[in-house]
Amino acid sequence: ETGVTQTPRHLVMGMTNKKSLKCEQHLGHNAMYWYKQSAKKPLELMFVYNFKEQTENNSVPSRFSPECPNSSHLFLHLHTLQPEDSALYLCASSEERTGFTDTQYFGPGTRLTVL
Amino acid sequence: RKEVEQDPGPFNVPEGATVAFNCTYSNSASQSFFWYRQDCRKEPKLLMSVYSSGNEDGRFTAQLNRASQYISLLIRDSKLSDSATYLCVVNAPAGGSQGNLIFGKGTKLSVKP
């Protein structure tokens, strides 16, 4: 399935590095999301973009910086991360309509390790 | 109280068994309910939406009890391929909007031959 793609699939970085995660959706959706999934924890919503506008920042540290240039692409820029930021980072998209919460479709995720 | 609570399991069942998962949610204003399935080291995928009247999709049946704020998933005739983690998902309305989705930690199912 190639509805939502993410690159890279795996990333190892040092605490002083700067890297970016990329997500692209081919479903014609108008909303995109970044989630973090750590071991033994539920998915944590990080950011929401609706029609390219950020509508949610779930108290995420500033070392994570999202960018949504258009409704099909979403980036997560990383800098000066900590080892506890190691996790699976999942991108999702959905078609948001007033008064209706639609299904979210997830990409395969980027497994990030911070050394 | 956690927003979405599930028994983490694992549930270890033989092939052909019937197994049921339960989930409770804390926000009485929630209107959208889903079960997602997540295989090991893979992304979550929608299994089924949960409707007020209950719904069935093949071997899978989902039920919603709004009064008790409780959702269930029943799997009949378990297959080896059903082994996965099942995530209960509920929306969290806020400020007049439908809000975002809140995920439970998931219930792990292992179906053995």
Side-chain angles (χ1 to χ4, degrees):
Chain A
E1 294 180 17
T2 57
V4 182
T5 57
Q6 289 187 243
T7 55
R9 296 292 305 276
H10 300 273
L11 178 62
V12 179
M13 59 188 287
M15 290 191 286
T16 57
N17 292 159
K18 286 186 180 181
K19 296 286 184 183
S20 295
L21 310 185
K22 179 183 176 182
C23 175
E24 184 173 358
Q25 60 98 358
H26 310 273
L27 301 168
H29 289 161
N30 58 15
M32 296 186 77
Y33 311 79
W34 278 117
Y35 287 88
K36 174 184 178 181
Q37 189 174 35
S38 306
K40 308 294 184 187
K41 288 187 178 181
L43 265 74
E44 300 171 62
L45 180 65
M46 299 175 72
F47 301 104
V48 180
Y49 277 83
N50 205 316
F51 291 106
K52 303 185 301 176
E53 298 296 321
Q54 188 181 125
T55 58
E56 183 97 16
N57 175 337
N58 208 15
S59 303
V60 181
S62 59
R63 57 186 184 270
F64 295 91
S65 173
E67 179 190 358
C68 188
N70 55 62
S71 57
S72 299
H73 293 85
L74 186 64
F75 295 90
L76 187 62
H77 303 300
L78 316 171
H79 64 98
T80 58
L81 294 193
Q82 305 297 312
E84 60 264 29
D85 296 322
S86 299
L88 180 67
Y89 288 85
L90 290 158
C91 173
S93 72
S94 70
E95 183 64 22
E96 289 303 305
R97 289 165 278 177
T98 302
F100 184 77
T101 302
D102 207 350
T103 305
Q104 291 182 15
Y105 295 85
F106 285 83
T110 295
R111 189 160 294 281
L112 173 68
T113 303
V114 181
L115 302 176
Chain B
R1 183 180 174 186
K2 294 176 187 171
E3 293 190 81
V4 178
E5 277 200 78
Q6 297 181 248
D7 180 344
F11 283 59
N12 298 307
V13 303
E15 266 188 295
T18 295
V19 61
F21 305 140
N22 302 319
C23 166
T24 57
Y25 61 95
S26 61
N27 192 332
S28 59
S30 294
Q31 296 288 329
S32 300
F33 310 91
F34 308 91
W35 283 102
Y36 276 71
R37 170 195 169 129
Q38 187 171 22
D39 291 279
C40 188
R41 305 186 76 80
K42 296 284 186 74
E43 73 274 22
K45 293 185 178 179
L46 179 70
L47 178 66
M48 57 198 303
S49 300
V50 186
Y51 303 118
S52 296
S53 54
N55 48 302
E56 188 174 312
D57 182 3
R59 297 181 294 107
F60 299 85
T61 301
Q63 296 280 350
L64 169 64
N65 183 323
R66 286 187 187 274
S68 301
Q69 294 178 206
Y70 167 100
I71 306 161
S72 65
L73 176 68
L74 182 76
I75 305 176
R76 290 181 298 278
D77 189 23
S78 301
K79 310 292 185 192
L80 296 177
S81 57
D82 293 334
S83 298
T85 296
Y86 290 83
L87 306 174
C88 177
V89 185
V90 175
N91 79 309
S97 76
Q98 287 297 301
N100 297 309
L101 295 182
I102 307 297
F103 288 75
K105 285 188 181 181
T107 298
K108 187 172 181 180
L109 172 66
S110 182
V111 182
K112 307 291 187 184

